[in-house]
Amino acid sequence: GLVRQDGRNGHYGLGPAALQLGASAISQFDVVDAAMPVLGRLSQDHAQAFTLSIWGNMGPTIIYKLDGRDRSPFVVKVGSVLPLLTTATGRTFFAHLPQSEWSTIAQYEETLSPGVLAEAELRADTIRSTGITMTEGNLQTGFYGISAPVFGVDGRIQAALTAVGSVALGEPSKNIALQDAVRAAAAEVGRQGGAALPE
C-alpha cells in the first residue's frame, strides 16, 4: 500500500499506507522539540536571545525562549503575547496569515497607535519576499528583533523564530550573518515538519 499505479497512464504515486504514514508523522510533529536544538546551535554562534512564538487566540505568543550570552535588563517571557503590528514577531505573522485571522487585533492596536497598521501593510510585501522581519526600538528602546517564519507542511505559517538583542551588539540591519542564520534556522525547523524548501 505504499505506492499505487494510475490505471489510466501507468504512473506511480503514493498509496494509502504512505499517505497514512505521512499524516501520522505530521500529527506527531512538535515545533518546540524541533526548534530547541536549532536555537541551541544559534546561541552558540550569536549572543542574542532567541524566541519561538505561535499564533494564539490573543496574537503572537512566546512558547519557548533561550537566553543569550548578552544579558540585558529587557526581558521577554514564555507566555507573553506580543504586539502584532510593531514587533518583528508580530509582523512576521501579519505578513503571512490571512487578514481574517489578525484583523480584530490589528484594528485594536491601530486605535491605540494610529498609523501602525498602514506602516505594517507597507512592509508586508518585503517581509514575504525576503523571509525576514526587523524592528528596532518598538517594544523597548535600545532593543531589536529579527524574525523569520516557520512554515508547516501545508505552506501556512506555523511559528515565528526571533532573535532579540541590544543595539549595543550592533545595528541589526547590518548584521547580515544573524539575519541569514535566523532565516536558515526557521527553514530548518519547518523542514523537520515536512515543509517544502523556501524559494
Side-chain angles (χ1 to χ4, degrees):
L2 291 177
V3 294
R4 64 171 180 80
Q5 188 175 23
D6 190 318
R8 293 171 296 168
N9 56 27
H11 293 162
Y12 287 91
L14 294 176
L19 295 174
Q20 288 176 348
L21 186 64
S24 177
I26 291 168
S27 67
Q28 292 178 12
F29 177 68
D30 186 316
V31 70
V32 175
D33 286 345
M36 286 172 63
V38 176
L39 292 180
R41 290 193 296 273
L42 272 177
S43 68
Q44 291 175 2
D45 298 328
H46 302 278
Q48 291 79 6
F50 294 94
T51 65
L52 185 73
S53 301
I54 61 169
W55 184 255
N57 60 355
M58 300 295 290
T61 306
I62 298 173
I63 58 170
Y64 181 73
K65 179 191 174 194
L66 185 61
D67 289 320
R69 295 187 307 273
D70 175 42
R71 300 292 178 170
S72 64
F74 177 50
V75 178
V76 289
K77 298 178 181 179
V78 171
S80 296
V81 177
L82 301 171
L84 172 68
L85 302 176
T86 55
T87 63
T89 299
R91 287 183 181 176
T92 297
F93 283 105
F94 176 85
H96 294 287
L97 283 174
Q99 181 176 349
S100 60
E101 295 194 35
W102 52 253
S103 179
T104 301
I105 296 170
Q107 290 301 325
Y108 173 73
E109 291 185 14
E110 174 69 13
T111 61
L112 298 178
S113 301
V116 293
L117 177 56
E119 182 182 351
E121 288 173 332
L122 280 175
R123 297 176 186 270
D125 284 341
T126 301
I127 291 167
R128 286 188 288 268
S129 65
T130 63
I132 204 85
T133 313
M134 286 184 289
T135 57
E136 184 178 327
N138 289 359
L139 198 56
Q140 183 165 327
T141 303
F143 291 87
Y144 63 84
I146 299 175
S147 186
V150 174
F151 293 108
V153 67
D154 59 358
R156 285 175 48 91
I157 184 171
Q158 185 174 22
L161 192 155
T162 306
V164 180
S166 165
V167 293
L169 297 173
E171 294 183 40
S173 61
K174 295 181 180 178
N175 196 338
I176 305 301
L178 180 60
Q179 294 172 39
D180 289 345
V182 168
R183 189 186 293 111
E188 181 180 346
V189 175
R191 279 195 300 273
Q192 291 184 47
L197 287 168
E199 296 181 6

